[in-house]
Amino acid sequence: MDVNQHYRFVVPDRSYASLTKKDITRLAESFALPEGAVGKVNIIVSEMLSNLEKHTTHGGELLVKAIGKPIYGIEIICLDNGPGMSDPGRMLEDGVSTFGSAGEGLGAIQRQSDVFDIYSLPQVGTVILAQVYKSNRSIPPVRRYDIGNIMVPKPKEIDCGDGYAVIHHERGAYLLALDGLGHGTHAQEAAQLAVKTYCDKPIPDPALALQVIHTSIRRTRGAVGFAANIDLSQNKFSYCGIGNIAGKLYSTESPLGNMPYKNVISYNGILGHNIPGTFNNQHLDWNRNKILIVHSDGLKSRWDLSRYPNLSRHLPTTIAAVLYKDHSRQTDDTLVLVCKAKP
């Protein structure tokens, strides 16, 4: 299970580039990545920073996290609100440039990455995702869904008060998303205790799982939370939420581009302090056309996936990163958790 938070590196102009590269290199080394993988990270970060310098007027930011527990890789995401690209696929070709340079930057990032994705819209900006793995990483099992996330602490904070868990089972997955009250260390303590409780003894029933979490975190600041069970054998998605964890379940089969969705509905309350006397699970259909997006209130609520052409075809982490880039409040911890069914 991977529950690591992202480290945020804001790069408003070129003067931050050298220090940012050094900090990310040290981070990669602290993840015990081999020398070859660290070398790949250096190239990726250098090219990302170069692109920010060349193509944006206000810079951007890089998000970095360790992948897995135990760690088997590193994830680097570059975000900007620059001019964007109408044809990012063509920009990946060596020699193609809108800046007059050699045009090898994006291609170099792709070649050095074990996983690569890019999403860009003119006048909206660009998200670049790169993952580099240790050479001895075991091949993960093939599943009928993909899960990705962005989890970032409040600006100028170190500890993130949001939390999540993903537990794979023989019929699908159990999901948990949490937002510890407030932010910082005490919020993180509440969220992480809730995650530990959930993972130590997974409970298929989402409402019951939240009841158990409520009891276990009574001595903490408390949290709001969302638990779900995706059962592929029954094509069913069951969930329960307490507090202001929001989300939408999209259906991507619409040929017109306007993807229909259903809002995730939560009960009022705070886990660990006060919850309704009675609360029940909600049940929705799950099939190969579904995308579930759940987030803490660090993300603004007025967003719509339909406004991003073809974004639903990209990796879940890329989807989460685009929403974070455009809709983060920047006044709180932010969690965006995306589960995407495979067609």
Side-chain angles (χ1 to χ4, degrees):
M1 183 181 63
D2 175 8
V3 294
N4 303 309
Q5 74 177 51
H6 286 85
Y7 296 89
R8 183 172 183 245
F9 298 87
V10 179
V11 188
D13 58 59
R14 62 183 298 179
S15 66
Y16 287 74
S18 178
L19 183 59
T20 298
K21 182 179 177 181
K22 289 179 182 178
D23 286 345
I24 294 177
T25 297
R26 283 195 288 265
L27 203 55
E29 291 171 343
S30 74
F31 297 160
L33 295 184
E35 184 177 348
V38 174
K40 292 180 179 181
V41 169
N42 283 333
I43 294 173
I44 290 169
V45 172
S46 294
E47 296 297 343
M48 286 179 170
L49 293 171
S50 177
N51 282 339
L52 290 179
E53 178 186 341
K54 293 172 184 174
H55 301 292
T56 68
T57 55
H58 301 291
E61 62 183 280
L62 271 62
L63 304 179
V64 182
K65 78 165 188 175
I67 305 174
K69 284 192 175 181
I71 295 171
Y72 63 79
I74 187 171
E75 177 175 272
I76 309 162
I77 304 172
C78 183
L79 314 169
D80 74 67
N81 291 309
M85 294 172 274
S86 58
D87 188 0
R90 183 169 179 268
M91 294 296 107
L92 290 171
E93 300 174 10
D94 287 344
V96 178
S97 173
T98 59
F99 187 75
S101 61
E104 298 177 348
L106 288 177
I109 295 172
Q110 184 179 38
R111 286 190 293 272
Q112 299 300 320
S113 303
D114 291 295
V115 172
F116 174 85
D117 197 13
I118 181 171
Y119 184 80
S120 188
L121 274 182
Q123 310 308 315
V124 174
T126 301
V127 168
I128 303 171
L129 166 68
Q131 294 181 349
V132 177
Y133 300 148
K134 295 180 179 179
S135 58
N136 61 350
R137 181 211 178 200
S138 60
I139 299 175
V142 176
R143 296 190 173 94
R144 290 161 54 192
Y145 55 86
D146 286 325
I147 297 175
N149 77 91
I150 296 293
M151 189 167 75
V152 183
K154 178 184 176 182
K156 299 183 180 180
E157 292 280 352
I158 297 175
D159 298 324
C160 183
D162 292 347
Y164 72 97
V166 177
I167 302 173
H168 304 287
H169 58 82
E170 60 183 8
R171 295 186 305 277
Y174 305 133
L175 307 178
L176 180 70
L178 293 154
D179 180 358
L181 263 61
H183 50 82
T185 302
H186 295 301
Q188 185 184 61
E189 289 172 353
Q192 291 307 309
L193 179 56
V195 168
K196 183 178 185 303
T197 300
Y198 188 76
C199 295
D200 284 350
K201 190 176 181 180
I203 299 174
D205 184 292
L208 180 57
L210 292 182
Q211 178 69 61
V212 171
I213 289 173
H214 168 70
T215 302
S216 74
I217 66 170
R218 284 186 181 276
R219 295 180 180 273
T220 71
R221 180 177 287 185
V224 296
F226 163 93
N229 182 2
I230 296 175
D231 190 332
L232 301 176
S233 66
Q234 299 185 37
N235 293 323
K236 185 174 69 174
F237 162 63
S238 303
Y239 76 90
C240 185
I242 300 289
N244 59 341
I245 290 283
K248 299 175 183 179
L249 180 66
Y250 277 90
S251 296
T252 62
E253 68 269 25
S254 172
L256 301 178
N258 293 321
M259 293 181 288
Y261 66 85
K262 293 186 177 180
N263 286 307
V264 168
I265 301 170
S266 295
Y267 291 89
N268 292 326
I270 300 172
L271 296 169
H273 292 277
N274 58 287
I275 60 174
T278 302
F279 52 95
N280 302 302
N281 295 320
Q282 306 293 321
H283 304 284
L284 297 171
D285 292 334
W286 181 270
N287 56 46
R288 64 181 185 175
N289 299 308
K290 300 298 185 182
I291 299 179
L292 172 67
I293 303 175
V294 180
H295 60 87
S296 66
D297 64 354
L299 198 75
K300 299 173 186 176
S301 58
R302 293 191 175 183
W303 55 268
D304 186 355
L305 207 59
S306 299
R307 296 181 180 178
Y308 297 92
N310 298 317
L311 180 57
S312 62
R313 300 179 182 178
H314 287 259
L315 296 175
T317 299
T318 304
I319 296 172
V322 169
L323 295 178
Y324 166 81
K325 178 180 78 71
D326 291 347
H327 301 285
S328 173
R329 299 182 191 275
Q330 299 295 322
T331 57
D332 200 354
D333 307 314
T334 304
L335 168 68
V336 187
L337 181 64
V338 179
C339 181
K340 175 183 173 183
K342 290 183 179 179

